Amino acid sequence: MIILTVDGRSIQAPAGSSVLSACLFADIFIPHLCWLESDTVADAPAACRLCFVEIDGFSEPVTACTVTVENGMMVHTDTEAVRSLQKTALKLLLSVHKVDCKNCPADKACSLQDIAKFLGIGLGCKPFERVLKELDVDSRHPAFDYYPNRCVLCGLCVRICRDRHEQPMLSFAGRGFNTVVGYFAETSDTDPDCLSCRGCLDVCPTGALVEKSQV
Amino acid sequence: MTENVKSRIEAAYQALAEEARDQKETFDQSPLPKIHIGMASCGIASGALETQAAFEAALKDRGVEAHVHTVGCLGHCYAEPVVIIDHPDSGFPPILYPEVTPGKAKMLVKLFLEGGDPRFEHIMGATVENEMIPSVMEFARFNREKRVVMERCGKIDPEKINEYIAQGGYGALVKGLGRTPESIIAEIEASGLRGRGGAGFPTGKKWQFARNAAGSDKLIICNADEGDPGAYMDRTLLESNPHQVIEGMMIAALAVGATRGLFYVRAEYPLAVRILTTAVDQARELGLLGTDILGSGLDFDIDLFQGSGAFVCGEETALIRSVEGFRGMPRHRPPYPVEHGLDGRPTVINNVKTLATIPPIVEKGADWFRGIGTPGSPGTAVFSIVGNVTHPGLVEIPMGVTLRELIFDICGGIPKQKKFKAVQIGGPSGGCLSADFLDTPVDFDELRQAGAMMGSGGMVVMDEDSCMVDVSRYFLDFTQKESCGKCTFCRVGTRHLLNILQRLTRGEGKEGDIKQLETLSRAVQQGSLCGLGKTAPNPILTSVAYFKEEYEAHIQEGRCPGCACRTLTAFYIDLDKCARGCDACVACCPVDAVFTTSTRKKGIDQELCVKCGECMVACPPEYDAVVKISPAHLAPIIERPSEKKS
Amino acid sequence: MNPLSSEDLANIEVLKKQIKDAPKGRGQLIPLLQMAQNILGYLPDKALSLVADYLSINRSDVYGVASFYNQFRFNPPGKNPVKVCMGTACHVRGGEIILENFERKLEIKEGDTTEDREFSIERVACVGCCALAPVALVGETLHGHMAPSKVEGLVLRVQLEREKAEREAGNS
């Protein structure tokens, strides 16, 4: 086991684990969206840019999911620089998010709500303007509807689909600001696997994927 | 390696070199005139193919015999198509002609090749010192350059491997084959060569890491995914002298112990792809690539991958993903590609110019290389200098030359007596420097300190008519479109930066915008996953630092000091200067916004005007009646006569 | 989605034949998409499916990759593709104004194709003749030192040439 200090507290973690998993396991919350419990340091996409921490010896904040624990490591999860980056990242995500919690199936079980509450900020995105995508719902998938303006592009659904199926049926599509989670079939036949799996629906943290029968 | 093998390699190479030299000698000693035409993309774009056809047709028509020799690019874009005519019988030295149109080609065949008159009015200069014609070497654009990477560009036919070999090409490979990998790496480390792709990481160190990495299936990738929208030196190099890059790659392979190489070339560079393919085939035919290279017992071969156009694929990890057949999204490092690269194999990724620098270093030694440039950045830098500068094109200079020397002495300064305003260095990742920085020496560390960066080597010179806010908007528009979309700061952050800049250029700026630009820029720099996002705010941060008054003018007065932001600018016609009866502006307007007033002078309908500036260009200089003004409401209103309205 | 033209259908047969000789493996995805686009000029759904099936990759995955890269297009290009250079030098010298003029003249937006498939407009990164900025390509021909007033002439010339060709075809 590796012993490191987080916010003055000494914690233990298996060698090779990431600072993020070590902290979460020791009940020290660090905001994150794109990380799966099974992720090693090498697997972590490091895409959501929320899990910043400061570590002695690093000149600037680093993402906790990409740093491997070391003995004697001094980690700080609650510094001004860390919180400032996390708040900015969250506001950036909220600035492209249609905040309509009452009508969202993820209400009260939404990672964005949890993180905002943890950081002590609301669901507004000031000083950023809200920029929403034109398309509100994509209904091409036979089993679920996709809401681009709820999606935070954490990629969990795409990764779950890839892990469970030899030929994953979900993919990111487009690029940059216009990236979406896409499903494209030439015919409307659905892989029977798809309807029984539900992996993507269960893992979505923001209600961007909604089962068709629920609507 | 035994002495036996060494002498076998030497003998195999000498056999190739002898044949190549014989061919060259036959060509050089031919009494026929030689017409060398620059035929890289830039030359072709300027009409070199038509020029070549015109030469060939004229030679045939007039029954004149001459060699038409296609070569790569000399780097003098302002003068394309460039032709060098070597006509020994005329008694003149080889002469360089700029801007050789088909008409000029025909004329030169008749008057010079047939008649012996070189037509002095069309000459730029002789290519060698002589007593009859001033040499081009008397011009700063030629004599201040120091060519290491581009030494043979424009002198050899890139599609004939023997022309490269005849000039000593692949000699460095033979030297390398006779040395231990450790001694090659030591030589490169000692030379102080830093990666020419932009970041400036020491090349020797990178190779050492790859050499040390576990695994036998190592790989060298040449990164020719040149994506900076104002830089094209990698393309020119591949189109003009591909073998020097291939030779550099092979030496890199020897050093790290790789058996495969891969060229990652943009699919938008069809000519470079074609020339490179030919070059690799020819090298293979001569036994320089493939199995048992020159009898050494070593194997190495090269594949080509065409990049599909994503700026982010210039980033090493994204490049690897795209070769593997995925979306080119970067991943965090470590692990670095030198340990865990393509399909998990240790992979060295070097820029085109870095690899092209290797053969000269191996040939002439680390000390020679250290003798060029500055202590921290030895060697030369290749820039593509474009924008408002008299002699744009590719320039290779020793590191340490100042920006002032480069822009004003070598490239002829700003045309049309305009004032210098800024120079943008390093493309979308770089920064805008003001006149205060003109004495900054070109060097990895000095440029970074000033807030710009060497980057890809794109350099855009801007005169007083440019708007720094608009230039930032242009670059952010680019990076925003090219963001891969993976991480929050780059995907959403650059979009907000762009939105603010767009508002500013439309005159919708608000108090506090500058501060927000700075704060968000810093956050994007700090929070982004890869180099693209981390450097994307550089154009904003430098221009806010050095041209703050321009940002303030946009926000507070709705004024664009360069009169470049179209919403904030208006064109009007100064009635005191306008001449009755001249219709130049009316005829050229693409939207019929220019009308004739009751006095037969002209006016501009501000509602219709799209502010393209055509009328300003069309207005004869003796009247010079079209005026550009910002803010737009300052333009005097001239009513369109009512009968015209209907 | 655009219906496939008879030319497209013929090209798809060509693709079917050529793809058979290609090596397999995930690393072939981009080379095969490039092959498909070289043959068809764009990537209709049918072409994406062919590549997907050949490499045993799900179609969503293939589209995900194709839609990431600038090179791939999903609508047919015009017979005379207009490419306006948006390199830095061209921007400084008014490339956007040239683009706007083409858009206005052809009544389509960048990325689109006219209904008669005669013209399409796209913005391209530096074409590398910065000394001629601003620059536009119509078909394969490069036009340097572009000006708004040249746009109309270029479009007109293509149209006149087409009419002439049609007349000659009619006469013969």
Side-chain angles (χ1 to χ4, degrees):
Chain A
M1 291 298 256
I2 302 287
I3 299 173
L4 63 158
T5 310
V6 182
D7 299 335
R9 209 183 111 193
S10 181
I11 64 166
Q12 285 197 340
S17 54
S18 68
V19 172
L20 178 62
S21 85
C23 289
L24 294 174
F25 197 72
D27 264 340
I28 300 168
F29 183 69
I30 297 173
H32 62 276
L33 283 170
C34 67
W35 182 82
L36 287 169
E37 220 173 292
S38 55
D39 277 346
T40 65
V41 167
D43 298 336
C48 70
R49 317 306 289 173
L50 279 163
C51 69
F52 281 105
V53 292
E54 283 200 83
I55 301 177
D56 288 5
F58 288 80
S59 59
E60 42 177 46
V62 288
T63 40
C65 63
T66 60
V67 181
T68 311
V69 290
E70 280 172 33
N71 269 318
M73 199 175 236
M74 301 286 281
V75 180
H76 313 276
T77 70
D78 192 18
T79 67
E80 203 181 314
V82 164
R83 292 298 181 229
S84 158
L85 275 171
Q86 288 171 336
K87 285 178 190 168
T88 308
L90 184 69
K91 283 185 175 192
L92 288 173
L93 289 172
L94 287 168
S95 74
V96 291
H97 186 81
K98 190 170 175 185
V99 180
D100 183 18
C101 301
K102 273 185 209 147
N103 295 310
C104 175
D107 188 23
K108 301 209 168 66
C110 167
S111 293
L112 288 176
Q113 288 175 334
D114 295 345
I115 295 169
K117 197 171 160 200
F118 174 79
L119 292 173
I121 56 175
L123 294 174
C125 60
K126 274 193 181 139
F128 308 124
E129 294 163 26
R130 189 153 266 137
V131 190
L132 295 181
K133 295 193 171 95
E134 256 175 56
L135 182 72
D136 206 43
V137 194
D138 177 350
S139 316
R140 270 177 295 184
H141 196 281
F144 60 75
D145 289 338
Y146 170 67
Y147 290 76
N149 287 323
R150 286 184 193 155
C151 178
V152 289
L153 294 168
C154 63
L156 295 183
C157 53
V158 176
R159 293 173 65 206
I160 289 278
C161 190
R162 202 174 54 207
D163 289 348
R164 294 197 185 170
H165 306 279
E166 210 172 295
Q167 284 195 21
M169 283 146 279
L170 282 181
S171 165
F172 285 126
R175 192 180 64 203
F177 190 79
N178 300 317
T179 307
V180 288
V181 171
Y183 166 80
F184 303 88
E186 209 178 353
T187 58
S188 58
D189 302 343
T190 318
D191 190 324
D193 268 6
C194 204
L195 292 160
S196 59
C197 164
R198 296 183 48 95
C200 53
L201 290 164
D202 294 340
V203 82
C204 179
T206 59
L209 297 177
V210 182
E211 200 174 343
K212 275 211 187 328
S213 57
Q214 277 192 2
V215 189
Chain B
M1 190 171 279
T2 63
E3 286 308 312
N4 211 343
V5 178
K6 273 189 195 172
S7 57
R8 196 162 67 210
I9 296 169
E10 187 63 33
Y13 176 70
Q14 282 314 328
L16 294 180
E18 211 165 296
E19 196 191 327
R21 279 196 298 263
D22 283 350
Q23 277 179 13
K24 180 170 162 31
E25 218 162 284
T26 315
F27 180 75
D28 287 350
Q29 285 173 357
S30 157
L32 295 180
K34 295 166 198 80
I35 305 167
H36 309 275
I37 309 177
M39 207 60 102
S41 281
C42 41
I44 290 175
S46 309
L49 281 173
E50 289 78 7
T51 301
Q52 183 190 4
F55 269 117
E56 280 164 354
L59 290 171
K60 198 170 158 216
D61 285 352
R62 311 198 70 82
V64 179
E65 272 195 294
H67 296 289
V68 174
H69 185 222
T70 53
V71 293
C73 172
L74 273 177
H76 295 264
C77 297
Y78 58 93
E80 295 286 1
V82 172
V83 172
I84 294 173
I85 300 184
D86 181 4
H87 186 9
D89 281 354
S90 71
F92 288 103
I95 297 169
L96 192 153
Y97 292 91
E99 296 170 46
V100 182
T101 55
K104 246 190 221 176
K106 211 169 144 189
M107 178 271 293
L108 285 170
V109 169
K110 184 176 165 194
L111 299 179
F112 186 27
L113 296 187
E114 245 185 324
D117 172 5
R119 304 309 294 173
F120 287 97
E121 71 275 27
H122 295 296
I123 286 177
M124 185 188 284
T127 59
V128 293
E129 298 294 337
N130 67 94
E131 296 191 339
M132 304 162 82
I133 300 174
S135 156
V136 289
M137 290 312 288
E138 287 171 26
F139 305 141
R141 186 68 166 71
F142 287 79
N143 65 29
R144 296 291 298 276
E145 282 202 55
K146 167 76 192 170
R147 292 202 164 185
V148 171
V149 172
M150 289 178 54
E151 194 194 344
R152 301 185 182 95
C153 290
K155 294 182 182 162
I156 58 174
D157 184 337
E159 296 191 80
K160 295 197 176 111
I161 188 170
N162 276 348
E163 296 200 11
Y164 179 66
I165 296 176
Q167 299 213 356
Y170 289 104
L173 172 69
V174 173
K175 272 196 171 176
L177 283 168
R179 295 173 67 163
T180 62
E182 288 75 19
S183 89
I184 299 175
I185 294 179
E187 182 93 59
I188 300 302
E189 283 221 65
S191 77
L193 174 66
R194 297 170 70 171
R196 268 28 181 182
F201 189 79
T203 306
K205 229 182 227 172
K206 198 182 234 183
W207 290 8
Q208 187 67 60
F209 287 142
R211 171 128 207 108
N212 295 346
S216 54
D217 201 10
K218 294 176 187 174
L219 184 79
I220 308 278
I221 295 181
C222 173
N223 184 351
D225 189 44
E226 193 171 43
D228 171 350
Y232 52 94
M233 59 288 265
D234 291 351
R235 184 196 66 200
T236 304
L237 194 55
L238 291 174
E239 287 173 355
S240 303
N241 187 7
H243 288 290
Q244 191 167 328
V245 188
I246 294 174
E247 190 180 3
M249 181 187 257
M250 296 178 75
I251 295 168
L254 288 177
V256 307
T259 53
R260 297 298 286 186
L262 181 77
F263 272 96
Y264 189 100
V265 191
R266 282 177 63 178
E268 291 101 318
Y269 287 179
L271 184 62
V273 169
R274 196 192 80 204
I275 288 180
L276 203 49
T277 310
T278 310
V280 168
D281 288 346
Q282 289 181 350
R284 212 178 276 138
E285 257 167 52
L286 295 188
L288 288 162
L289 277 176
T291 48
D292 192 20
I293 292 167
L294 294 175
S296 64
L298 296 170
D299 306 339
F300 184 72
D301 215 333
I302 293 177
D303 295 312
L304 225 82
F305 185 91
Q306 295 190 37
S308 284
F311 179 62
V312 69
C313 288
E315 206 278 341
E316 296 191 343
T317 57
L319 183 150
I320 286 172
R321 288 302 278 167
S322 85
V323 178
E324 290 170 345
F326 294 90
R327 296 161 56 83
M329 301 204 283
R331 60 170 176 74
H332 62 85
R333 303 178 297 182
Y336 287 91
V338 283
E339 289 162 351
H340 189 92
L342 188 75
D343 298 325
R345 299 147 66 186
T347 305
V348 169
I349 303 180
N350 281 143
N351 172 266
V352 178
K353 297 178 290 288
T354 313
L355 290 177
T357 315
I358 302 296
I361 295 178
V362 172
E363 192 69 47
K364 297 172 187 166
D367 288 340
W368 162 81
F369 190 71
R370 275 214 170 271
I372 309 166
T374 60
S377 307
T380 58
V382 185
F383 283 106
S384 60
I385 304 189
V386 299
N388 305 117
V389 63
T390 308
H391 293 146
L394 294 187
V395 182
E396 183 170 4
I397 46 157
M399 297 270 189
V401 166
T402 65
L403 292 172
R404 187 187 304 281
E405 292 171 288
L406 183 53
I407 296 166
F408 288 90
D409 301 344
I410 301 177
C411 291
I414 318 293
K416 298 182 197 159
Q417 272 117 38
K418 298 262 183 181
K419 274 211 290 280
F420 170 89
K421 182 184 267 183
V423 56
Q424 210 283 347
I425 308 172
S429 316
C432 273
L433 301 183
S434 64
D436 294 343
F437 288 87
L438 279 174
D439 293 311
T440 308
V442 168
D443 168 299
F444 283 103
D445 309 307
E446 296 270 359
L447 286 180
R448 185 163 300 166
Q449 221 166 6
M453 66 185 261
M454 195 73 108
S456 47
M459 193 180 277
V460 187
V461 180
M462 284 168 279
D463 67 14
E464 56 193 287
D465 289 344
S466 312
C467 169
M468 293 301 113
V469 182
D470 178 63
V471 169
S472 295
R473 183 197 59 79
Y474 167 77
F475 281 115
L476 257 295
D477 184 56
F478 179 83
T479 34
Q480 194 270 140
K481 283 201 180 91
E482 292 295 337
S483 164
C484 81
K486 181 176 180 179
C487 86
T488 307
F489 282 92
C490 182
R491 179 181 71 242
V492 191
T494 56
R495 177 58 173 254
H496 285 297
L497 289 172
L498 175 65
N499 281 356
I500 299 171
L501 291 168
Q502 279 174 339
R503 275 201 286 109
L504 259 52
T505 56
R506 287 196 306 259
E508 295 160 17
K510 296 188 296 234
E511 209 56 49
D513 275 347
I514 298 181
K515 188 148 182 294
Q516 205 197 323
L517 277 174
E518 286 181 301
T519 318
L520 183 54
S521 288
R522 295 246 154 68
V524 172
Q525 260 183 345
Q526 225 184 8
S528 293
L529 170 65
C530 83
L532 189 149
K534 283 183 181 299
T535 56
N538 285 354
I540 301 180
L541 286 170
T542 48
S543 61
V544 168
Y546 306 138
F547 300 93
K548 197 168 196 167
E549 68 286 355
E550 294 212 6
Y551 282 83
E552 284 165 349
H554 280 75
I555 295 170
Q556 289 157 12
E557 305 164 52
R559 177 172 65 88
C560 175
C563 290
C565 295
R566 284 187 281 158
T567 321
L568 305 184
T569 305
F571 289 81
Y572 70 90
I573 290 170
D574 184 344
L575 293 179
D576 293 336
K577 290 183 174 173
C578 183
R580 284 187 181 87
C582 164
D583 268 338
C585 52
V586 180
C588 76
C589 182
V591 289
D592 297 328
V594 188
F595 56 86
T596 306
T597 65
S598 49
T599 62
R600 285 174 52 219
K601 294 189 174 190
K602 307 297 176 294
I604 296 175
D605 188 330
Q606 299 296 344
E607 303 252 300
L608 291 181
C609 177
V610 290
K611 299 160 189 182
C612 66
E614 273 291 273
C615 48
M616 201 167 185
V617 177
C619 185
E622 58 268 40
Y623 307 139
D624 193 22
V626 182
V627 186
K628 196 158 65 158
I629 195 164
S630 177
H633 63 81
L634 294 182
I637 293 168
I638 302 165
E639 283 290 324
R640 192 188 271 257
S642 51
E643 69 272 15
K644 282 271 179 186
K645 264 185 184 161
S646 55
Chain C
M1 200 180 68
N2 295 288
L4 294 175
S5 68
S6 55
E7 202 185 333
D8 290 338
L9 291 170
N11 282 333
I12 281 177
E13 292 308 312
V14 176
L15 174 62
K16 275 185 188 161
K17 276 205 193 84
Q18 286 196 14
I19 207 170
K20 274 193 239 149
D21 302 323
K24 291 206 175 183
R26 179 85 198 200
Q28 290 303 313
L29 177 52
I30 291 175
L32 287 185
L33 289 172
Q34 287 168 338
M35 179 207 266
Q37 180 154 306
N38 280 342
I39 295 169
L40 281 132
Y42 73 114
L43 294 175
D45 286 10
K46 186 70 199 153
L48 289 171
S49 307
L50 274 173
V51 173
D53 293 347
Y54 183 75
L55 295 177
S56 307
I57 302 174
N58 186 278
R59 216 178 142 271
S60 302
D61 207 353
V62 170
Y63 180 78
V65 171
S67 63
F68 184 86
Y69 295 98
N70 295 336
Q71 186 189 5
F72 300 118
R73 52 181 308 152
F74 304 101
N75 59 348
K79 289 193 191 88
N80 302 285
V82 175
K83 295 176 183 165
V84 185
C85 179
M86 286 292 143
T88 316
C90 286
H91 172 76
V92 171
R93 297 195 172 189
E96 269 172 59
I97 295 175
I98 303 304
L99 178 67
E100 262 176 39
N101 270 277
F102 274 110
E103 288 178 335
R104 190 165 45 234
K105 180 71 202 159
L106 297 171
E107 295 174 348
I108 51 170
K109 286 283 162 204
E110 164 240 321
D112 293 342
T113 305
T114 51
E115 259 177 44
D116 57 4
R117 282 211 196 179
E118 277 299 318
F119 291 95
S120 55
I121 304 179
E122 56 191 303
R123 45 166 75 213
V124 291
C126 187
V127 295
C129 29
C130 304
L132 301 177
V135 162
L137 289 128
V138 179
E140 297 288 301
T141 320
L142 183 128
H143 302 273
H145 299 302
M146 278 300 295
S149 52
K150 280 191 186 173
V151 168
E152 193 154 347
L154 285 178
V155 173
L156 197 66
R157 194 156 89 195
V158 172
Q159 284 165 344
L160 286 175
E161 272 167 20
R162 185 187 54 180
E163 277 166 29
K164 193 175 149 206
E166 277 168 9
R167 258 202 318 276
E168 279 166 7
N171 289 342
S172 63

